[in-house]
Amino acid sequence: MNDILDIFGMILLLIGGIFLFLGGLGIFRMPDTYNRLQAGTKATTLGGMSVILSVGILEPGWFIKTLVLVIFIALANPISSHALAHANYKRGNKPYLKGGPEYDQYRKVFEPEVKETKDNTTEKVKEEETA
Amino acid sequence: METLSAGGKIARFFFAWVLLFLIWLMFTSTLALQEVLTGAGVSFIIALPTNRFFTEVQLYRFKPLRLFYVIEYLFVFLWALIVANLDVARRVISPKLPINPGIVSFKTKLTSDFAKMVLANSITLTPGTLSVDIIDDTYYIHWIDVKSLDPEQCKKDIAEQFEKILLKIF
Amino acid sequence: MLNIIIYITLGFMFTGIFFSTLRFILGPTAADRTVALDTLTTIAMALLVLLSFVYNRFIYIDVALVYGVLGFIGVLVIARYLEGAL
């Protein structure tokens, strides 16, 4: 029984290490802040959780404490990544869009009126030009 | 928040006290008498000024069936977390970076703030999505691989499986 | 057996830390650096817990917990600052 638990812990440890590595690589390779957040937070969340849980399995006396850490990571990481994404958009960093500007639907929240006035002014300018 | 009777206030205080005491027990992870007594005292003192932040719905909303749905939610969530990580791993490793990012929006049927927060956190940790903002009942989601811009279709792809269970819990 | 796996895991972790640090140095905007910092915090937490297992010291887990809480609060404060609300 103990051997099976040990082997399970080792596999979990190895998987966690690989995901932590992938988190770092993803943060390095992705083209803009939002995609970096996606790759970084997801991979490191699972990686950190499984490394910490594997320590709890390999050393059964520490299990409750490691469980506290796992719950903390699962609660804290999405909140901080959400706060960073929100702050980054408020700051004015537009996301990298492959498919064109209509893929950013969040922009409508900030500039609904600006768009209309822009259209009006351009129409007025056109009228003046034609006149 | 509605005004509470005296009994409601006491129940709220006891909820905060017990919750803080359980957190203390998990942090120290011993059952020695002095540790437990210190924990009870400290969590009593902390619960006095902070108990109104802990719960909006009182304990009368608690039903055993909801606990079952919470466990079901945890399993769905863990499975989605593993799928999300394999998905991200595939995108990071492949040399051409197969991404098509964009920000989509959809409306939710959930009403309470806590349920909305749980849904937003779950969306952040599941395949290729990251919640950017919540305005009233509209979610704005950064999606790493946009498949459609139609709100109904987006909701079906991103949030349907969580929202179904959360509607039963809250 | 366990030793080898711990060494491999440590190697993966340090490669991840290397790439995150690279992004921390290169990152064009402040938000990118903060994202790298957030990732580094999580990796360092896992590293501290693993080291506490290797050296068999229970107290390092407390260090990891406090480090994680402080890193979380720090990232939230930086995010508020970037938003312009602080």
Side-chain angles (χ1 to χ4, degrees):
Chain A
M1 188 59 201
N2 230 343
D3 288 345
I4 298 172
L5 271 185
D6 274 3
I7 289 172
F8 183 62
M10 286 184 216
I11 292 172
L12 218 55
L13 189 61
L14 203 58
I15 291 173
I18 291 172
F19 274 116
L20 286 178
F21 160 69
L22 284 176
L25 188 66
I27 246 180
F28 181 66
R29 282 198 64 196
M30 287 293 179
D32 78 333
T33 314
Y34 302 94
N35 293 313
R36 277 173 205 149
L37 267 172
Q38 294 241 14
T41 57
K42 281 195 194 75
T44 51
T45 302
L46 188 71
M49 276 163 78
S50 71
V51 165
I52 292 170
L53 204 62
S54 78
V55 170
I57 288 170
L58 290 170
E59 193 93 7
W62 300 358
F63 187 73
I64 295 176
K65 203 57 172 286
T66 51
L67 206 62
V68 173
L69 271 168
V70 166
I71 294 171
F72 171 75
I73 287 184
L75 284 179
N77 254 350
I79 293 174
S80 62
S81 70
H82 165 80
L84 272 175
H86 192 227
N88 195 28
Y89 205 100
K90 279 273 175 68
R91 200 174 161 76
N93 291 331
K94 296 283 175 279
Y96 158 76
L97 301 168
K98 214 178 202 173
E102 76 271 15
Y103 275 76
D104 184 5
Q105 297 193 348
Y106 189 41
R107 197 180 43 177
K108 289 176 204 160
V109 178
F110 290 104
E111 43 191 38
E113 292 106 24
V114 178
K115 217 172 181 183
E116 285 171 16
T117 50
K118 253 184 193 171
D119 288 349
N120 289 339
T121 49
T122 46
E123 277 172 17
K124 273 177 192 169
V125 170
K126 271 178 192 169
E127 281 170 11
E128 283 171 7
E129 280 176 1
T130 49
Chain B
M1 201 189 287
E2 77 271 41
T3 52
L4 288 173
S5 64
K9 274 180 186 165
I10 292 171
R12 198 172 64 180
F13 171 74
F14 271 97
F15 179 80
W17 187 14
V18 170
L19 194 70
L20 285 170
F21 186 56
L22 283 180
I23 293 173
W24 171 278
L25 281 185
M26 285 177 88
F27 273 174
T28 55
S29 64
T30 58
L31 282 175
L33 185 64
Q34 48 193 9
E35 296 273 352
V36 171
L37 285 180
T38 317
V42 169
S43 45
F44 183 85
I45 293 169
I46 296 177
L48 278 177
T50 61
N51 62 53
R52 63 204 162 91
F53 301 120
F54 278 94
T55 173
E56 286 181 10
V57 293
Q58 270 70 49
L59 283 176
Y60 65 80
R61 299 259 316 257
F62 182 80
K63 288 175 190 142
L65 193 61
R66 294 214 169 106
L67 211 60
F68 169 73
Y69 286 127
V70 169
I71 294 169
E72 184 192 354
Y73 186 80
L74 279 182
F75 275 103
V76 171
F77 172 72
L78 271 180
W79 176 246
L81 182 60
I82 293 168
V83 171
N85 278 282
L86 292 178
D87 184 65
V88 167
R90 185 176 61 82
R91 287 181 206 287
V92 169
I93 288 177
S94 62
K96 285 167 89 177
L97 276 184
I99 57 173
N100 179 24
I103 297 180
V104 299
S105 66
F106 65 84
K107 286 190 185 305
T108 179
K109 277 181 282 188
L110 297 172
T111 48
S112 83
D113 282 347
F114 185 73
K116 281 182 198 168
M117 191 271 281
V118 172
L119 183 60
N121 276 4
S122 307
I123 285 170
T124 301
L125 284 176
T126 49
T129 49
L130 171 70
S131 56
V132 176
D133 202 358
I134 309 168
I135 299 172
D136 294 335
D137 61 345
T138 312
Y139 280 73
Y140 292 92
I141 308 289
H142 182 266
W143 199 357
I144 203 168
D145 188 15
V146 177
K147 295 196 182 67
S148 97
L149 289 173
D150 176 42
E152 291 298 316
Q153 186 65 34
C154 289
K155 188 176 174 182
K156 208 173 165 189
D157 284 351
I158 296 172
E160 194 88 88
Q161 51 174 349
F162 298 123
E163 198 186 34
K164 220 167 35 188
I165 307 173
L166 281 178
L167 277 175
K168 288 183 212 158
I169 295 178
F170 293 101
Chain C
M1 183 65 189
L2 187 58
N3 273 335
I4 300 170
I5 286 183
I6 285 176
Y7 279 125
I8 294 172
T9 310
L10 282 178
F12 275 129
M13 278 183 182
F14 282 125
T15 325
I17 288 178
F18 173 73
F19 280 121
S20 311
T21 316
L22 221 55
R23 175 52 66 198
F24 186 80
I25 295 166
L26 288 177
T29 66
D32 287 315
R33 290 173 215 267
T34 318
V35 174
L37 190 69
D38 192 22
T39 311
L40 277 174
T41 307
T42 313
I43 299 179
M45 270 176 83
L47 196 61
L48 275 170
V49 173
L50 187 58
L51 282 182
S52 80
F53 175 65
V54 171
Y55 294 130
N56 206 5
R57 298 271 170 81
F58 185 65
I59 197 78
Y60 283 5
I61 292 189
D62 291 333
V63 178
L65 187 62
V66 173
Y67 184 69
V69 172
L70 287 182
F72 172 58
I73 294 171
V75 167
L76 281 191
V77 169
I78 294 173
R80 291 286 286 174
Y81 167 68
L82 290 178
E83 204 173 313
L86 202 69

